[in-house]
Amino acid sequence: MQTAIYIFVMAGVTYLIRMIPFTLFRRKIRSRFFRSFLHYVPYAVLTAMTIPAIFYSTNNLLTALVGTVVAVILAYLRQPLIVVALAASAAALGAGFII
């Protein structure tokens, strides 16, 4: 029974987080600064969640750095996401074998 209560509370909180902006911002946001801020929030949150996971995914900081450098270079060269992910993983694995 206690688990069901936890699930309902979490569902309610999730719903409120998604519903409140729709009720507060009924008109179009005209502030250029605020629109720009809201535009970059998803990228900042994704980066804040991804970067720590990258560096804690391997047991060695050097292998994580090698994979990250390969990923950044390939992303800068506008390679597809699957190419970037596979190459970064292969580079980290290869660096792990060498070290």
Side-chain angles (χ1 to χ4, degrees):
M1 181 64 183
Q2 193 172 10
T3 304
I5 293 172
Y6 288 148
I7 291 172
F8 286 126
V9 169
M10 289 187 327
V13 168
T14 302
Y15 177 73
L16 285 175
I17 289 172
R18 295 172 191 268
M19 186 217 29
I20 288 175
F22 286 120
T23 59
L24 292 179
F25 302 111
R26 292 183 183 208
R27 292 178 288 152
K28 183 176 180 177
I29 299 171
R30 291 197 174 103
S31 170
R32 191 174 186 187
F33 172 77
F34 196 59
R35 281 197 335 226
S36 175
F37 173 77
L38 290 176
H39 176 76
Y40 288 110
V41 166
Y43 301 111
V45 170
L46 182 63
T47 302
M49 290 172 28
T50 304
I51 294 297
I54 289 171
F55 290 113
Y56 290 114
S57 62
T58 63
N59 291 332
N60 191 340
L61 181 64
L62 187 59
T63 58
L65 277 173
V66 169
T68 303
V69 168
V70 169
V72 167
I73 290 171
L74 290 176
Y76 181 75
L77 296 174
R78 297 187 183 269
Q79 295 298 311
L81 180 60
I82 189 72
V83 172
V84 173
L86 291 175
S89 298
L93 182 66
F97 284 139
I98 292 172
I99 294 176

